[in-house]
Amino acid sequence: MRESDQNPKSLKLEFPSCEIEVRKALKQIACALAELGIGADVIGSAEVVLGEVLNNIVEHAYGSSAQGRIVMKLTLQEAELRFLVVDEGRALPMKELPRGVLPRLDGPLEGLPEGGFGWYLVRKLATNLSYQRKAGHNELCFSILR
């Protein structure tokens, strides 16, 4: 994992797209935010959103057999934490963000879905969410309100 940007209001991490490195990056972001006095609830929201986004990159953009790089930049602004996440994996389907609709939760317990909640959580916790495919890169921007 590489950290750069000496500005205390900015942090840039670059790391391989694997589960272990994602966990390390999430821990590093959480620790950096705590050191800056960001509240636990805001840090928790950032961890949930980043966890969903980064794990989707590992699992879907690169896939289980491929590995690439993920670049994540955090900028602290007065009222929000602004994130930019960049990868070179596959584009999102139809090059647009998933709607983030909850799966159906009726029916017998054994028939309930195990997944399908990620983009719902991202859309619920993040603001200013945008995605673009540019020059072979996926660029996802979002904010977490402070």
Side-chain angles (χ1 to χ4, degrees):
M1 185 178 319
R2 192 176 83 218
E3 180 181 337
S4 63
D5 288 359
Q6 299 304 314
N7 178 350
K9 296 205 177 210
S10 173
L11 175 67
K12 182 178 178 183
L13 302 176
E14 186 174 332
F15 51 94
S17 66
C18 68
E19 292 175 11
I20 291 171
E21 294 299 325
V22 165
R23 280 189 289 246
K24 287 180 187 176
L26 290 172
K27 184 175 182 179
Q28 188 169 356
I29 288 288
C31 289
L33 291 174
E35 287 175 13
L36 292 169
I38 303 298
D41 56 337
V42 175
I43 293 172
S45 293
E47 286 180 300
V48 168
V49 173
L50 281 170
E52 291 295 337
V53 166
L54 297 174
N55 285 318
N56 276 335
I57 292 170
V58 170
E59 191 174 328
H60 301 292
Y62 287 114
S64 60
S65 62
Q67 189 172 339
R69 304 289 298 163
I70 298 173
V71 177
M72 178 176 52
K73 183 171 185 181
L74 161 64
T75 306
L76 274 69
Q77 298 178 348
E78 189 65 34
E80 65 188 15
L81 307 175
R82 188 77 179 139
F83 292 90
L84 169 64
V85 181
V86 180
D87 69 80
E88 296 176 336
R90 290 185 289 276
L92 283 170
M94 299 189 303
K95 295 185 181 171
E96 61 185 41
L97 289 168
R99 291 185 15 227
V101 177
L102 280 175
R104 292 187 61 149
L105 300 177
D106 54 352
L109 184 59
E110 60 275 357
L112 292 177
E114 291 183 29
F117 301 94
W119 280 104
Y120 171 80
L121 290 170
V122 169
R123 288 190 174 276
K124 191 80 172 161
L125 296 171
T127 62
N128 303 317
L129 190 61
S130 68
Y131 167 78
Q132 64 179 344
R133 178 78 177 179
K134 191 160 89 175
H137 294 83
N138 295 306
E139 295 184 2
L140 179 71
C141 293
F142 62 90
S143 297
I144 301 293
L145 298 179
R146 292 177 67 178

